[in-house]
Amino acid sequence: MGISRFFEVVALGVKNLLRNKLRSFLTMLGIIFGVASVIAMLSVGAGARHEILSRIQELGVRNVIINSVKPPAEIKPDTTDTQNKDRYGLTFEDADYIANVIPTVETMLRVNRITQRLWYGSKRLEASVLGVEPAYLRMFGLEAGRGRVFTEVDAENFAKVCLVRRGLVAQLETVEDPIGMWLQIGGFPFQVIGVLEDAAFRSHTRKALNIDSTTQEVYIPYETSMRTLGTVTLIERAGSQEFTQVDLDQIVVTTTGESEVLRTSQMLTAALKKLHDRVDYEIVVPLELLKQSEETQRVFNLVMILIASISLLVGGIGIANIMLATITERTKEIGIRRALGARRRDIVLQFLAETTAIAAIGGLLGCLVGIAGILGIVELTNWKAVIAPSYVMLSLVISCTVGVVFGIFPARRAAQMDPITALRFE
Amino acid sequence: MSRRVLELDKIVKTYGTGDSALTVLHGLDIHVEEGEFVGIVGASGSGKTTLMNIIGCLDRPTSGEYCLNGEDVAHLDDDRLSLVRNRSIGFVFQSFNLIAQLTVAENVELPLFYSRTPRRERHQRCLDLIEAVGLGHRTGHYPPQLSGGECQRVAIARALVNQPALLLTDEPTGNLDTKNGEEVLKIFHDLHEQGRTILMVTHNAEIANKLPRVIEMRDGLVLEDTGVGTGCLLSSGVESTAGVVS
Ligand SMILES: Nc1ncnc2c1ncn2[C@@H]1O[C@H](COP(=O)(O)OP(=O)(O)OP(=O)(O)O)[C@@H](O)[C@H]1O
Ligand SMILES: [Mg+2]
């Protein structure tokens, strides 16, 4: 069939659809919603995937993060001692072992964390003070919105400098410029050199980095924290005091390559099992989170395909149903065309062109509805969506296929009619 | 020396099978030469339309031989029959059978569409024919906007557009008043003069009387045939049918 003839057949199909606009539109509805849901689900799925991927990449695919975890409270022997000292979590020995024994470790970053009182003039806050190495700030993209972050020079000099978050500044209710402000932490004076951007503290990252409070982290150089605040946190309750000692809150291990991550995490698991007599740590492997999310994605995709198939099936059945009615209505026309020399396949093509045109136009409208829906969803929720041209193409291909598949039966039925009977039909 | 356009030998048509079988045509022999204008008359139910359907390749005989233009068409498959209908047969029906949703021009173009004639040529040819039947000013109109006579003239234009070897028409004036009927008949007579081969079923004795050759059917057989030949029987043999048909 020549290209111009093809267009002529399609044009005839479209013309026939325009003859009964309302009915054609109603016939399309199934396809419109089917395609709209396909597009919406593809885009939202891709958006979620993209989001998770970028979050995991923020944590570093080559990294293995080990956090200290407070083990479930043990049944302690009943004592009248009001001073309890609890020691758990990662130790300096762990860090030495990891750095010296495990071969696939490229770099290792230590994090110390102490809960301390923070004084600003007469104002007092409970602050979570994190002692981190400058490389840690770079690795997790903690940047100063104002001022500067501390560097290796500050670390070497045990400089008493700190980085605070905007929320903390707000809580201090100061009119003073926060940069250069002096804070008393654990009895030591620290100077604020920078205010951190909030962008770095997204929920996912925060969870993996073991940052729980939202506003009150204070970052100081690791070396400084070891020399000044130490590793013991004092928790005062009514009538009792509790000390907890955690050497290292977190160890971030960067492996020599992505392919070494799994092996490294296995070696770490084995090593920590040997070094600890209880599980007071957790190992987070961003690469595995990635794999998990891919698994979730697969399930999501399956559900999506199922829903889309059902709505397209319903749409297709709608088309077939209306076409059967149309064919009965146009029996006489079919008879006339056959008498004038139309072959069976000419009749099949004519009706297929109509169903395919319905489906294709429905597909296009569905894409528009779907894209509008996505924009609405993105506007109203904090979901992310990625609209790719390939989704539009895919949807159009699918809807045309639906048009052909569900058009075949009515079209063949039209073509099988006996011309004489069809001609006599009134 | 004229060519033989139509050659029917012992055509039998039986509808249904077994007990309910009904044989409508009982072995018809009809030969028609090129350029003849043949009327077919006969009582209602005598099988005229059945015969026309077979001649028009809309239907196949149960048995017998049928040659159209020297080609055996009794045993063709559906696709080939469609091709024969398209190229060699022009139908003019009693009820016009125009497609109401297409314009006059589009209706006339239809056979050319199925013969895969290039679009531009199609357009020119159908315009010429519409002009010839006197409807040049109505090409863009739709059939429901036309009178019965005009519709039938469009149908004639459509039947002629592929230059068929045979023009078949079953009661072309049945749905028309006298004046329009006469106009349509005049077109057929003009076509005959131009050398076209025409088969026309009619109930009207007056019309049959003016035809050069008349075949009378009864119960699926040829009762009387006024003879093969172009115009040679204009003066004789027509009276014999007149009485029977009325
Ligand atoms: N499809 C069919 N199935 C069964 N019987 C049929 C069929 N078509 C026609 N017949 C029968 O064949 C016989 C001849 O019918 P046909 O239509 O050929 O007659 P006709 O001569 O054209 O009559 P009229 O002058 O009324 O148009 C009739 O008895 C009719 O009932
Ligand atoms: Mg009849």
Side-chain angles (χ1 to χ4, degrees), chain A residues 29-314:
Chain A
L29 275 182
I31 293 289
I32 292 179
F33 288 125
V35 166
S37 57
V38 169
I39 285 266
M41 285 187 282
L42 279 175
S43 305
V44 170
R49 189 185 154 71
H50 183 81
E51 180 77 357
I52 288 169
L53 211 74
S54 66
R55 280 176 181 180
I56 288 164
Q57 261 156 7
E58 268 167 35
L59 295 177
V61 280
R62 271 167 60 205
N63 288 351
V64 177
I65 299 168
I66 314 163
N67 290 318
S68 290
V69 177
K70 191 175 167 72
E74 287 158 34
I75 303 129
K76 282 181 239 162
D78 193 31
T79 58
T80 49
D81 193 0
T82 52
Q83 271 206 2
N84 291 320
K85 188 165 178 185
D86 190 11
R87 188 184 165 154
Y88 68 88
L90 302 167
T91 62
F92 297 119
E93 293 82 61
D94 295 340
D96 288 342
Y97 186 89
I98 291 167
N100 297 324
V101 179
I102 297 191
T104 51
V105 174
E106 189 179 271
T107 56
M108 187 189 74
L109 298 172
R110 294 154 300 176
V111 178
N112 175 41
R113 181 206 292 262
I114 291 292
T115 306
Q116 267 292 359
R117 285 203 193 114
L118 179 153
W119 291 87
Y120 171 67
S122 61
K123 289 205 184 72
R124 195 186 84 173
L125 291 175
E126 287 288 321
S128 197
V129 183
L130 286 105
V132 300
E133 293 165 64
Y136 178 95
L137 300 176
R138 289 194 292 275
M139 178 174 287
F140 296 113
L142 300 179
E143 281 166 11
R146 301 198 41 216
R148 63 176 182 90
V149 295
F150 48 77
T151 62
E152 274 77 6
V153 179
D154 296 308
E156 273 164 35
N157 295 332
F158 304 103
K160 296 195 188 65
V161 291
C162 67
L163 299 169
V164 295
R165 296 185 57 194
R166 205 173 298 174
L168 185 126
V169 176
Q171 271 186 325
L172 293 176
E173 292 170 331
T174 174
V175 287
E176 208 182 314
D177 181 1
I179 309 297
M181 230 164 50
W182 288 92
L183 303 175
Q184 290 284 334
I185 304 173
F188 297 91
F190 281 84
Q191 189 169 32
V192 177
I193 55 166
V195 179
L196 291 171
E197 288 272 38
D198 270 334
F201 297 87
R202 288 192 222 142
S203 62
H204 205 86
T205 318
R206 198 165 61 230
K207 190 163 171 290
L209 290 182
N210 209 8
I211 303 168
D212 38 38
S213 85
T214 45
T215 52
Q216 303 193 358
E217 284 90 23
V218 175
Y219 289 82
I220 61 175
Y222 175 76
E223 282 77 6
T224 314
S225 83
M226 281 300 154
R227 193 169 261 209
T228 55
L229 305 173
T231 57
V232 177
T233 294
L234 171 70
I235 298 167
E236 273 183 295
R237 293 221 188 85
S240 77
Q241 285 184 318
E242 201 176 296
F243 293 97
T244 51
Q245 186 185 347
V246 179
D247 284 1
L248 291 171
D249 183 59
Q250 185 175 60
I251 296 174
V252 179
V253 174
T254 303
T255 61
T256 47
E258 225 177 275
S259 53
E260 303 293 344
V261 170
L262 220 68
R263 207 153 68 87
T264 310
S265 85
Q266 282 161 359
M267 286 189 284
L268 287 171
T269 310
L272 289 173
K273 207 168 185 176
K274 203 170 70 194
L275 292 166
H276 291 246
D277 48 8
R278 52 183 182 165
V279 186
D280 49 3
Y281 57 87
E282 65 167 4
I283 299 179
V284 180
V285 185
L287 194 69
E288 270 178 5
L289 293 178
L290 187 74
K291 292 212 174 94
Q292 274 166 24
S293 89
E294 271 166 0
E295 193 56 44
T296 324
Q297 194 69 31
R298 204 164 300 137
V299 175
F300 178 83
N301 282 344
L302 265 176
V303 173
M304 188 198 85
I305 288 168
L306 196 72
I307 293 175
S309 313
I310 291 172
S311 41
L312 287 171
L313 181 75
V314 171

Side-chain angles (χ1 to χ4, degrees), chain A residues 314-325:
Chain A
V314 171
I317 292 172
I319 291 184
N321 189 21
I322 294 297
M323 277 326 276
L324 283 174

Side-chain angles (χ1 to χ4, degrees), chain B residues 10-221:
Chain B
K10 301 189 190 66
I11 293 291
V12 173
K13 179 70 192 178
T14 306
Y15 287 112
T17 50
D19 286 348
S20 62
L22 173 72
T23 302
V24 178
L25 302 179
H26 298 269
L28 276 173
D29 297 310
I30 294 174
H31 298 182
V32 175
E33 305 290 322
E34 187 176 25
E36 279 196 286
F37 191 173
V38 183
I40 297 176
V41 297
S44 190
S46 56
K48 304 181 296 294
T49 301
T50 306
L51 176 66
M52 289 298 256
N53 285 342
I54 288 172
I55 294 173
C57 290
L58 284 167
D59 206 352
R60 265 174 294 211
T62 311
S63 70
E65 292 305 315
Y66 172 19
C67 283
L68 179 68
N69 256 341
E71 185 194 1
D72 176 13
V73 295
H75 310 290
L76 296 181
D77 63 15
D78 193 89
D79 276 5
R80 305 292 295 277
L81 281 181
S82 301
L83 190 72
V84 172
R85 285 200 294 273
N86 183 249
R87 302 293 163 97
S88 311
I89 308 282
F91 288 103
V92 177
F93 302 91
Q94 179 176 356
S95 54
F96 323 133
N97 282 346
L98 300 175
I99 297 176
Q101 290 82 9
L102 301 182
T103 62
V104 165
E106 286 166 340
N107 266 289
V108 175
E109 264 187 63
L110 271 182
L112 294 172
F113 178 73
Y114 290 117
S115 65
R116 284 158 172 65
T117 310
R119 204 172 181 165
R120 215 174 305 131
E121 190 188 334
R122 231 191 274 169
H123 210 59
Q124 196 48 53
R125 261 163 77 179
C126 87
L127 283 187
D128 291 348
L129 273 166
I130 296 167
E131 199 74 54
V133 295
L135 290 170
H137 57 298
R138 321 245 4 210
T139 51
H141 288 203
Y142 290 86
Q145 299 170 320
L146 305 182
S147 76
E150 287 166 332
C151 280
Q152 199 59 304
R153 282 188 274 158
V154 173
I156 293 171
R158 183 180 66 183
L160 292 171
V161 79
N162 247 343
Q163 305 285 348
L166 193 59
L167 211 54
L168 300 179
T169 172
D170 198 340
E171 297 266 358
T173 59
N175 282 7
L176 301 177
D177 60 34
T178 326
K179 188 180 148 286
N180 275 311
E182 269 163 17
E183 243 175 73
V184 165
L185 274 179
K186 182 169 181 309
I187 295 176
F188 279 111
H189 280 285
D190 289 348
L191 289 170
H192 170 53
E193 238 138 66
Q194 290 162 23
R196 298 215 170 259
T197 315
I198 305 169
L199 257 69
M200 178 159 76
V201 170
T202 179
H203 274 123
N204 189 319
E206 226 177 288
I207 293 170
N209 278 339
K210 294 194 185 110
L211 299 182
R213 176 184 170 193
V214 175
I215 293 172
E216 196 196 337
M217 288 178 64
R218 179 180 290 171
D219 300 332
L221 283 169

